[in-house]
Amino acid sequence: MDSVRLARIGAWMERYVETRKYPGCSVVIARNGKEVYHHATGQRDIERNLPFTRDTAVRIYSMTKPVTSVAIMMLAERGLFHLDAPVSDFIPAFKDMTCLLPGAMNIAQVKACQTPTLHHLLTHTSGLSYPFNPGLLPAVMNDDDMLFRPDQGPLEAMVNKVAELPLAFEPGTRWEYSVSIDILGRVVEVVSGKSLAEFFAEEILGPLGMHETAFSVPQTARDRFAALYTPLAGDAMALNSAQKGAETLRCVDDPLKSPFLDATMHSGGGGLIGTIDDYMKFAEMLRRGGEFGARLLSPQTVAFMRRNHLKGDIASMGPASFAEQPMEGMGFGLGGSVVIEPGRTRVPGSVGDFSWGGMASTFFWTDPVLDLSVVFFTQLSPSSSYPARAELKALVHGAVIA
C-alpha cells in the first residue's frame, strides 16, 4: 500500500473534524494481518476538550449484530439447532404469528403467517422492523419505544413485547432492517443457559482478547468513553421526522451520565461499547476464517456466513427501511452485507467484501481478495448524515497499489 496515498485518509478525517461534521474519529487498517495505517483526530468530548484517541471507547451500536450472529453460528456448530428452526422453538411467544395484509391501513388488518426461522432473523427477512423505519409496524414500535436501549432491560421482556405485534410482511418475502438480531440474542440466552453478556464475555470477547468491549462501559475505559453527537434538531434516531439543527454537533449522550455506564438491556442488535483495537480483533477473526488467538468458528462456517443468503441483492427484496449500506449490488450474509457486484454498489470494493456499520457512524469491512480489514470509529448519529463510508472505501482502495 502506498504510504503517501494512505496519508490522504488522515487529511480526509481532519476535514470532517474541521468542518464540524464529526467531533473526532479514528481508523485502523490491516493488510495480510499486519497494521499498515492508523490515524486519530478531533475530540471524543467537545464540551470537556478531550481528544479522540486510539483507545477511546465508543458505542458501536449495530456493529454488535455480527458478534451476535457469530454467537448463533457457534451454537449451530455444536448441533444445538438448525437455521430453519422456527424462533418459537426457543421463544414460545412467537407461536401463531400474524402479518399485515398488503395495503393494510391499520395494525389490526392482519392474516395468519409462518413463524420466522432463525435464518429469516439472521438475514433481516423475518418481517420484523425498527421504530425508525417507515410503515405501520414501525409506527407502533415507536409509540411503544421498542428500541432495545441500554436502560430498557431485561431482554426477555422486550422480546416478548415484540412478539405480541404482527409482522410487517410474510417471512422470506422482503428485506427490512430490524430488531431480528435482538431476538437472536435472546435465543443465545435460552440455548446456552447464560445471559448474552456472559456468553459474549466467556466465549467470544474473552477468547479474542477484546477486554474493553461489553454492554456496560468497562471500568478501565470510563475515563475514555466518548460523548455522542447529532446534527439533528430532535431525537438522533428519529429518522422519519429528521430535521437538521442549527448545531451540527449537538451532544445527546453525555459520557458521565450515559445509560451505557450501567446497561440493564443486553441488546444483541446494538448494545456493545468497545475500542477500535478490540473490534479489529473481531474483524481479523472473520478475515482469518474464525480464528484470532482462539478458534471460534471453522473456516467453512465463516465462508458460509460471508456468502449472499438472499435471492438477489438487497434492492431486489423490496426494502422500505433504513440500511447501513448500499442496496444495489449488495447482498446480505449472516451478520453483515456482502458485495456481489462492486460496480452496482458504485463504491470501490471487491466481490465478497463483508461489512456492517453502526448508527453512530462506525463502520468495518473485511476484504477476502486483498486480505484487508478496516475499522472506522466516530460518534455521530445518524450514520446516514454524511457519505463517509463510501469515501473511506474509495480512499483505502486508492492506496492499494499491489
Side-chain angles (χ1 to χ4, degrees):
M1 300 187 77
D2 186 293
S3 60
V4 174
R5 286 170 168 260
L6 280 171
R8 295 173 177 172
I9 299 170
W12 167 80
M13 292 165 65
E14 285 157 17
R15 285 199 302 274
Y16 261 79
V17 171
E18 289 166 3
T19 55
R20 292 184 60 80
K21 291 180 176 178
Y22 288 160
C25 47
S26 63
V27 69
V28 175
I29 303 172
R31 184 106 191 262
N32 301 315
K34 296 181 180 179
E35 183 175 314
V36 294
Y37 187 76
H38 165 259
H39 188 73
T41 187
Q43 295 172 304
R44 67 173 181 268
D45 188 326
I46 296 171
E47 288 72 24
R48 297 179 180 89
N49 194 30
L50 298 173
F52 202 112
T53 52
R54 180 168 184 152
D55 60 358
T56 292
V58 309
R59 304 153 193 78
I60 66 170
Y61 286 128
S62 288
M63 281 169 62
T64 307
K65 288 179 170 70
V67 183
T68 305
S69 300
V70 163
I72 285 287
M73 296 312 296
M74 289 172 71
L75 295 172
E77 277 194 339
R78 298 170 193 176
L80 297 174
F81 50 70
H82 61 99
L83 299 187
D84 281 334
V87 68
S88 54
D89 283 0
F90 315 95
I91 307 172
F94 279 97
K95 287 182 179 178
D96 304 320
M97 293 301 296
T98 61
C99 67
L100 292 171
L101 290 167
M105 300 300 291
N106 65 68
I107 202 71
Q109 294 179 310
V110 300
K111 64 177 180 177
C113 71
Q114 173 190 1
T115 294
T117 65
L118 301 184
H119 191 264
H120 289 140
L121 293 166
L122 282 163
T123 56
H124 294 290
T125 58
S126 65
L128 295 172
S129 194
Y130 258 127
F132 47 71
N133 287 332
L136 283 176
L137 177 60
V140 173
M141 294 180 73
N142 184 62
D143 290 343
D144 291 343
D145 202 18
M146 296 184 183
L147 200 54
F148 291 82
R149 292 196 314 269
D151 57 356
Q152 289 185 302
L155 177 59
E156 180 181 8
M158 183 67 81
V159 166
N160 287 339
K161 198 174 175 183
V162 170
E164 294 173 0
L165 296 175
L167 302 174
F169 51 85
E170 290 262 9
T173 60
R174 278 175 44 197
W175 190 95
E176 184 153 325
Y177 200 37
S178 72
V179 298
S180 290
I181 311 303
D182 285 295
I183 310 305
L184 288 174
R186 177 59 186 156
V187 172
V188 171
E189 293 187 331
V190 171
V191 173
S192 69
K194 302 176 180 180
S195 73
L196 192 61
E198 289 170 339
F199 188 93
F200 277 10
E202 295 171 13
E203 308 214 29
I204 298 177
L205 305 176
L208 293 181
M210 298 171 65
H211 300 305
E212 291 198 313
T213 300
F215 288 111
S216 295
V217 184
Q219 288 293 336
T220 57
R222 294 203 168 196
D223 62 344
R224 292 178 272 115
F225 184 38
L228 177 67
Y229 296 88
T230 186
L232 302 184
D235 189 320
M237 294 190 184
L239 303 186
N240 290 321
S241 58
Q243 291 187 345
K244 292 284 186 180
E247 171 56 71
T248 59
L249 292 172
R250 180 173 64 88
C251 182
V252 287
D253 191 17
D254 186 322
L256 299 186
K257 303 174 184 177
S258 173
F260 282 103
L261 293 171
D262 187 18
T264 58
M265 168 67 71
H266 299 159
S267 167
L272 288 177
I273 299 291
T275 61
I276 200 166
D277 284 321
D278 269 13
Y279 207 88
M280 177 56 83
K281 294 172 183 175
F282 181 78
E284 278 288 278
M285 178 276 294
L286 292 175
R287 185 191 67 82
R288 290 164 51 145
E291 178 274 331
F292 187 89
R295 179 161 294 284
L296 303 189
L297 294 168
S298 77
Q300 290 76 18
T301 297
V302 174
F304 174 73
M305 293 178 69
R306 296 178 64 120
R307 296 185 68 86
N308 179 30
H309 285 244
L310 305 181
K311 298 172 185 176
D313 61 6
I314 296 175
S316 72
M317 296 289 288
S321 64
F322 170 84
E324 299 284 358
Q325 299 292 306
M327 295 184 179
E328 294 182 352
M330 187 75 77
F332 200 83
L334 304 183
S337 59
V338 183
V339 172
I340 52 180
E341 176 46 68
R344 293 190 63 232
T345 70
R346 298 176 298 283
V347 179
S350 301
V351 172
D353 277 9
F354 187 81
S355 63
W356 206 240
M359 186 62 93
S361 304
T362 58
F363 181 51
F364 92 101
W365 83 91
T366 64
D367 183 324
V369 176
L370 299 176
D371 283 329
L372 187 71
S373 296
V374 181
V375 184
F376 177 81
F377 273 10
T378 185
Q379 290 288 267
L380 186 97
S381 181
S383 57
S384 54
S385 299
Y386 307 110
R389 293 169 181 176
E391 292 170 358
L392 178 60
K393 285 202 81 174
L395 284 158
V396 172
H397 274 265
V400 177
I401 57 174

